[in-house]
Amino acid sequence: MTPTSTSTGMTNGTTAPTTPAYDELTRRNERAWRLEHLGSIAGWDQAANMPPKGNEARAAALAELGSLLHGLATDPLLPELLDRAEQEPLDPLQRANLREMRRDWVANNALPGGLVEQRTLATARCEHAWRTQRPANDWAGFVENLRPVVRIAREEAICLSQATGLAPYDALIDRFEPGMRATELARLFGDLRGWLPDLIARVRERQAGETVLRPTGPFDRAAQKALGEAAMRLLDFDFDAGRLDESTHPFSGGVPEDVRLTTRYLDDDLQQALYGVIHETGHARYEQSLPRSLLGQPVARARSFGIHESQSLSFEMQLGMHPGFIGLLVPLIEQHFGHQAAFAPANLARLLTRVHPGFIRVDADELTYPAHVMLRFEIEQALIGGEIEVEDIPTLWDQKMAAYLGVDTRGNFRDGAMQDVHWPSGAFGYFPCYTLGAMYAAQWFAAMRRATPDLDARIAAGDLAPVFGWLREHIWLPASRWPTPELALRASGEPLNPAHYRAHLERRYLG
Amino acid sequence: MTPTSTSTGMTNGTTAPTTPAYDELTRRNERAWRLEHLGSIAGWDQAANMPPKGNEARAAALAELGSLLHGLATDPLLPELLDRAEQEPLDPLQRANLREMRRDWVANNALPGGLVEQRTLATARCEHAWRTQRPANDWAGFVENLRPVVRIAREEAICLSQATGLAPYDALIDRFEPGMRATELARLFGDLRGWLPDLIARVRERQAGETVLRPTGPFDRAAQKALGEAAMRLLDFDFDAGRLDESTHPFSGGVPEDVRLTTRYLDDDLQQALYGVIHETGHARYEQSLPRSLLGQPVARARSFGIHESQSLSFEMQLGMHPGFIGLLVPLIEQHFGHQAAFAPANLARLLTRVHPGFIRVDADELTYPAHVMLRFEIEQALIGGEIEVEDIPTLWDQKMAAYLGVDTRGNFRDGAMQDVHWPSGAFGYFPCYTLGAMYAAQWFAAMRRATPDLDARIAAGDLAPVFGWLREHIWLPASRWPTPELALRASGEPLNPAHYRAHLERRYLG
């Protein structure tokens, strides 16, 4: 699906349209896409630039745009247009686009307006209170606000289930990872549960006797920014189509034509900003490389949250922590911060792969991270299914943290179930995507090594073209052309197979 | 008109509305205001941040928003709503708001769609070609593109004239400076023509023997930015409600709740960036201080381009070049750039008031600037009136530049009639606002000195509150509450009177 036209490529050009309903739908998508552009840039600006007194007006402006876009997405004419378009003589690409349009329609029209409003109010209240309740370790207060959020999420799951024919929790997952089902996740995490805790234990034992040097700060922030930009150039980020800025919570925002990355800098630690930038650059290159002539159509969107994370983790974990890549990074680090013994490639590799079970998901290392996700998946599945209530979370949390990571979280709600914004904001079904991304990334690199048997030597020699070429061909340009399982199959010859992930971790941590 | 409510203050709150049409109009204005917010921020970002490959998508997004806002502004229901609102029991503030709504309606509905489209195409073509024709001094090529722009502007003037009852050129001026007429401008510039060339000659003679030291660069850009921000703090700019960034063409953008200033830095000159920042801070403080509870309604908008310029020039010329203010600035300059003999206050004052007749309006000093504007007013008035054609401009330009400034512009089109973007972009009627702003600024300071007889001593002592307090009360908070002549009368006890401007210039340059 290489772009071949400067128009949307989705209409019939100058000949008389034989697909009037489909063409009307593409025009509507393009219009919404253009307006969303303004929201994306204003949203980035809100995080990266906006002074505090601008917030109220910005929130009102974004809400007005949201309401406008909601009106476009729920236009009563859409069902008939979609039905008529189904009967038109579409080519396969157009048919894939129509499939995605219908997915959007279901997502935007499945919930009654009253429920959307209830959700907005309940999540806003819960998130707002959470910002002070978390530092105060106020679980009892938090429960009062989380309970209505869960109740509404269950109703939402039932509405989405009725609209899609999926089981309720599946319908929530499908918003973030289309085609993924709870039974499949249970299989994947079941597999993981079988070997991960033991692998963590073996790696910790092995690392106990290792000596690792930590780089000595402080690290000048302007130099850290320059280093981050140098790493982005190494990763072929297109600076004519994007920027690097700062924000409290790093993210990749903006639009595919102009991707806005953010990071944050610590004075005494290089790794967080640098690997944050490498991670976000993976998201960014996916966006920058989506099929240009189709932008504005849903078929040209990134496939899913899991596939998106497979790109950031391909960059951060598969490539970024690859010993050959670390060898490329060291001269850049030393160019900005001079020589330190800790910058020796072998030492940096040991530092980056150091395993430390801890409380906090976002601070977790590569090996313990999936345990945090597994635990959340198990708890939220039971919560949405009505098997447990909000009050039951801490006991389960404590048990699972002890079993999977050997850490004691009793009474520490702040660094336990209160640590993430996902549940307060109603994003049930999202967490699994992080580990799906890690699994997919391992699977992509296994496929890359079959296609380029000397891949590791090429990376070490600074030739990253086989990596980017493979991702571009198999992930970036296909975008949403195929359902996710078919995307994986076409890219790697098999559906998602967690064996590659296990093999990657065992090779890296025990090899 | 101090804001007293956190709502718009324009509706009747919780009581049953007795002004339904008026209330509907305020809601529509608020909705457009929120959407315009996104365009303002995206427009600022385009100038300050955007990488080149983002431009096409940004232009499409802004055009989509423009088309959406045009649809709102030309809704066929508006005339009836406006008429019904006229009959409703409105208080004087609401009635002023309705007057401005009607002004907007006329501006947005006077031109037939075909003419708007022709104008867009002709000005885009002229501006685009001008960017290469100007450096090439290609007058003959430029004329071909300017001719249709002028033809369309004449048609536009006639349409606006029919909609407003004004004379054609008056109708063009009224877009930028409501209430101002060509006969009044002719009187003001006629007065100026009587004394300005002679004043320039006398000042040049007097300055011929003066010794002035120039500060020695290079001047570090980060230090220049810090100095600019220090000057903005001195001028009470609210950094919780705005920022300073860089762009090729400095401007004050964003929204009143979050004003985005830009400047540009030269390595070998401090003055341009510093006084650019001081100028833009005048625009910014006007925006930051518009009546907060009414924002979103046309009555809360800045009054006009001339009144806006009176704020930037109050800051840059009246205050910024005031010897007392220079005394406040010097410690800031020395804090960032150390001591130089050239930084002595008396020397800086001489440097800032140095008069150099030249070709370029935007580079002109305070005293010769109005001559550039007078010349453009005279030429464009004749052009719109059909007394001359585009081909006649250079001869007139050469004659007037020789007469007013004693400079020879023959054959130098690049630094002559091709130097400004205004005419290529169709903005006839705009130029006079620059000098109206300078005249108003002098009149405001004359009124301030009557209200605060020791104003000059207060400024020298670092007490700028009398300046900001006067501007807030008389210009910023009234916003568009009064027609411009009434605003001037209420603020200063008289309509626009150029005698204050002359007195200011004679005192500063001959005093």
Side-chain angles (χ1 to χ4, degrees), chain B residues 181-195:
Chain B
R181 304 289 172 258
T183 50
E184 170 74 355
L185 287 175
R187 185 182 70 78
L188 295 167
F189 284 112
D191 175 83
L192 202 63
R193 204 180 304 112
W195 52 263

Side-chain angles (χ1 to χ4, degrees), chain A residues 177 180 306-307 310 435-445 484 488 496:
Chain A
E177 198 58 31
M180 183 50 65
I307 298 296
S310 82
T435 294
L436 292 175
M439 290 175 172
Y440 277 124
Q443 186 162 331
W444 306 152
F445 271 73
T484 321
L496 182 56

Side-chain angles (χ1 to χ4, degrees), chain B residues 422-484:
Chain B
H422 301 60
W423 290 344
S425 68
F428 296 93
Y430 189 111
F431 280 123
C433 300
Y434 293 115
T435 294
L436 292 174
M439 291 176 172
Y440 277 124
Q443 187 161 331
W444 306 153
F445 271 73
M448 259 178 241
R449 285 195 175 84
R450 291 195 299 275
T452 307
D454 62 342
L455 185 76
D456 299 287
R458 301 272 287 269
I459 291 173
D463 176 11
L464 306 180
V467 175
F468 302 143
W470 192 96
L471 292 173
R472 180 184 302 277
E473 180 185 346
H474 294 95
I475 309 294
W476 301 341
L477 285 178
S480 285
R481 176 75 172 84
W482 317 109
T484 321

Side-chain angles (χ1 to χ4, degrees), chain A residues 101-388:
Chain A
M101 290 179 186
R102 196 172 279 282
R103 233 176 73 74
D104 286 349
W105 186 85
V106 170
N108 291 318
N109 291 271
L111 304 184
L115 187 62
V116 173
E117 202 177 321
Q118 279 182 50
R119 185 184 59 187
T120 304
L121 290 172
T123 57
R125 186 177 302 122
C126 189
E127 256 195 75
H128 181 76
W130 167 76
R131 294 184 192 285
T132 48
Q133 286 165 341
R134 187 188 170 201
N137 201 34
D138 178 12
W139 173 256
F142 180 63
V143 161
E144 293 308 309
N145 295 319
L146 187 59
R147 201 181 288 118
V149 170
V150 169
R151 181 181 56 70
I152 290 163
R154 286 169 178 165
E155 284 183 51
E156 197 177 353
I158 288 165
C159 289
L160 288 169
S161 165
Q162 286 162 350
T164 57
L166 300 174
Y169 182 52
D170 284 352
L172 294 183
I173 297 167
D174 201 76
R175 298 178 299 177
F176 305 111
E177 198 58 31
M180 183 50 65
R181 305 288 173 259
T183 49
E184 170 74 356
L185 287 175
R187 185 181 71 79
L188 295 168
F189 284 113
D191 174 83
L192 203 63
R193 204 181 303 113
W195 52 264
L196 183 66
D198 177 60
L199 178 59
I200 293 172
R202 286 164 65 201
V203 171
R204 295 203 68 201
E205 197 174 321
R206 182 189 166 118
Q207 290 186 346
E210 268 183 12
T211 306
V212 184
L213 299 176
R214 302 201 155 268
T216 311
F219 303 102
D220 176 72
R221 289 176 183 222
Q224 286 196 60
K225 181 174 188 197
L227 171 61
E229 289 177 337
M232 289 164 75
R233 275 188 289 274
L234 182 62
L235 294 166
D236 266 7
F237 180 88
D238 182 355
F239 276 97
D240 283 340
R243 298 171 50 96
L244 172 65
D245 291 273
E246 283 181 62
S247 73
T248 314
H249 302 285
F251 67 103
S252 168
V255 293
E257 303 91 336
D258 177 5
V259 175
R260 303 293 175 94
L261 295 197
T262 70
T263 190
R264 62 179 161 183
Y265 302 105
L266 299 175
D267 290 325
D268 58 351
D269 176 49
L270 266 186
Q271 186 185 330
Q272 182 177 306
L274 179 57
Y275 273 77
V277 164
I278 293 172
H279 179 97
E280 300 302 336
T281 302
H283 286 306
R285 289 219 56 205
Y286 190 7
E287 292 289 321
Q288 284 186 332
S289 309
L290 291 167
R292 189 52 54 108
S293 67
L294 302 174
L295 286 182
Q297 298 305 318
V299 75
R301 272 193 312 232
R303 180 59 204 153
S304 70
F305 286 79
I307 298 296
H308 229 310
E309 196 72 6
S310 82
Q311 300 310 295
S312 53
L313 296 179
S314 284
F315 276 55
E316 182 189 358
M317 299 299 182
Q318 295 294 331
L319 188 56
M321 291 166 65
H322 187 288
F325 185 83
I326 293 172
L328 305 176
L329 219 43
V330 167
L332 300 179
I333 296 173
E334 298 202 328
Q335 189 184 320
H336 291 90
F337 294 101
H339 178 72
Q340 292 193 18
F343 293 155
N347 182 71
L348 273 193
R350 276 196 301 277
L351 187 65
L352 288 164
T353 52
R354 196 78 190 155
V355 174
H356 283 292
F359 297 133
I360 304 297
R361 177 183 57 83
V362 296
D363 295 339
D365 55 78
E366 183 182 24
L367 195 63
T368 58
Y369 196 105
H372 292 271
V373 173
M374 184 161 71
L375 165 156
R376 285 160 177 76
F377 162 67
E378 291 163 354
I379 292 176
E380 72 172 26
Q381 184 180 25
L383 201 55
I384 295 299
E387 298 155 39
I388 63 167

Side-chain angles (χ1 to χ4, degrees), chain A residues 139 143 146-147 154 379 382-383 386-400 413 417 423:
Chain A
W139 173 256
V143 161
L146 187 59
R147 201 181 288 118
R154 286 169 178 165
I379 292 176
L383 201 55
E387 298 155 39
I388 63 167
E389 294 302 328
V390 170
E391 292 76 359
D392 304 321
I393 294 175
T395 308
L396 282 168
W397 193 281
D398 295 340
Q399 287 169 358
K400 289 173 190 287
F413 309 105
W423 290 343

